[in-house]
Amino acid sequence: MIEDLEELVLCESFSSDLAAVARSAEVVAAMGARYLDARPEFLVIDGVTHLRWTFGTPKVLLLGHHDTVWPIGTLATHPWSVVDGVARGPGVFDMKAGLVQTFHALAGLDSLDGVALLITGDEEVGSVTSARLIEETAREMTAAFVMEASADGGALKTSRKGTSLYTVQVHGKAAHAGLEPEKGANAGIELAHQILAIAAIGAGATTVTPTVLSGGSTLNTVPASASVGVDVRVAEVAEQTRVDAAIRALEPVVPGTRLEILGGPNRPPLEGAMSASLYALAQELAKGLGIGPLTSASVGGASDGNFTAGVG
């Protein structure tokens, strides 16, 4: 397994380098073929290479990704190594070790009938081309397991916050800041009002965070435009709906300005109740195999991965 992990890590796969992602897909496909005795489908969508294995009539989906956040050349500064039982290198944790574990686990089954394995190439940049592919593949499944790393102590991740991403754009009117500022509509001042209103939408476990700010053109001009990015994290679907409505209900304060709301919900949350029955089954099976008890964890961030979920 360590040798396999080294092979994957040494093939860098920065998400934004489509040629590197394609090379990585070839390496992952070859490794999978060795263990599963089958080549995958190569699904190239807008230049991004995804892989899918299908055995019989699938009812269980295993989901992963082979792209990483690390730019090409990172191996020069973060080389592959195994020291004191710890492997290091770009993509080791997220999630090339998960791919290796997946191949070895599947190779140990008596039959792969009923299993689908989907490995995407753009998870780290928001699954722009793979989101629909994931949905379509998962739609007929009874269960889905994302094969990213576990939480501390090997805990299965049974719930995870969802994300919404927005840009709130303020449109104002430019004017000379010294000669006739009263003829302008200051988008910067309006943005200040909106940042405070946006931050106040968060409550409890829901976080609504203004992030990237921009505005104005020159030092002596009343800003005609300004914007703020907003990162939203929610533990419940109802909260995602509430926050979306609240952001879209924002109203301008400064006369002569108007707001434009871009974006919306990006990924829904995985609520604990959604995975409860599947986790109970995992506990039962683990006990029968003498490897329990399993532990679970709720994860505060959000991504495609890191959970065990019932989807059917």
Side-chain angles (χ1 to χ4, degrees):
M1 293 179 74
I2 293 174
E3 291 174 355
D4 289 341
L5 181 56
E6 179 180 7
E7 181 181 357
L8 295 186
V9 171
L10 291 181
C11 183
E12 295 180 287
S13 54
F14 181 40
S15 305
S16 299
D17 189 325
L18 300 187
V21 172
R23 290 192 297 271
S24 169
E26 291 286 355
V27 173
V28 173
M31 182 175 294
R34 293 201 302 269
Y35 288 103
L36 309 181
D37 197 29
R39 290 279 294 177
E41 300 173 76
F42 279 71
L43 304 166
V44 181
I45 305 174
D46 293 338
V48 182
T49 308
H50 315 291
L51 303 171
R52 182 169 61 191
W53 282 263
T54 303
F55 301 94
T57 301
K59 289 299 179 184
V60 174
L61 172 64
L62 303 184
L63 180 63
H65 66 92
H66 65 102
D67 62 311
T68 74
V69 300
W70 301 95
I72 302 302
T74 298
L75 279 170
T77 55
H78 294 71
W80 162 261
S81 67
V82 180
V83 179
D84 296 330
V86 177
R88 293 181 173 85
V92 163
F93 185 73
D94 186 4
M95 64 160 287
K96 295 188 176 185
L99 299 182
V100 171
Q101 291 175 311
T102 300
F103 289 140
H104 281 260
L106 290 175
L109 297 178
D110 294 333
S111 171
L112 294 177
D113 186 51
V115 173
L117 171 60
L118 177 60
I119 300 175
T120 66
D122 64 354
E123 189 271 350
E124 297 291 3
V125 290
S127 302
V128 177
T129 72
S130 61
R132 180 171 295 180
L133 176 62
I134 294 168
E135 292 171 358
E136 291 174 350
T137 303
R139 188 164 287 120
E140 302 302 321
M141 302 294 169
T142 299
F145 297 89
V146 173
M147 305 304 286
E148 284 197 14
S150 64
D152 290 346
L156 297 175
K157 299 175 184 177
T158 55
S159 62
R160 192 174 185 95
K161 283 188 173 183
T163 58
S164 298
L165 303 172
Y166 298 90
T167 298
V168 177
Q169 183 76 46
V170 180
H171 299 278
K173 182 181 179 182
H176 194 286
L179 297 178
E180 46 188 14
E182 71 282 356
K183 292 186 177 181
N186 197 313
I189 294 176
E190 178 60 38
L191 184 66
H193 286 289
Q194 296 303 324
I195 288 172
L196 295 175
I198 290 165
I201 294 173
T206 297
T207 59
V208 181
T209 308
T211 55
V212 179
L213 308 174
S214 66
S217 55
T218 65
L219 193 63
N220 62 348
T221 303
V222 173
S225 65
S227 67
V228 59
V230 184
D231 178 288
V232 178
R233 308 291 170 122
V234 296
E236 300 175 350
V237 174
E239 271 295 277
Q240 195 166 41
T241 301
R242 179 190 71 81
V243 171
D244 186 67
I247 288 180
R248 297 189 187 284
L250 292 170
E251 293 286 346
V253 176
V254 175
T257 63
R258 65 180 178 86
L259 305 181
E260 181 181 7
I261 310 298
L262 306 174
N266 177 259
R267 293 189 175 110
L270 175 72
E271 299 182 17
M274 297 175 180
S275 63
S277 61
L278 186 57
Y279 180 62
L281 177 60
Q283 286 277 31
E284 181 182 340
L285 295 174
K287 183 178 180 181
L289 293 170
I291 59 174
L294 301 177
T295 57
S296 65
S298 177
V299 184
S303 79
D304 278 354
N306 296 1
F307 57 75
T308 306
V311 297

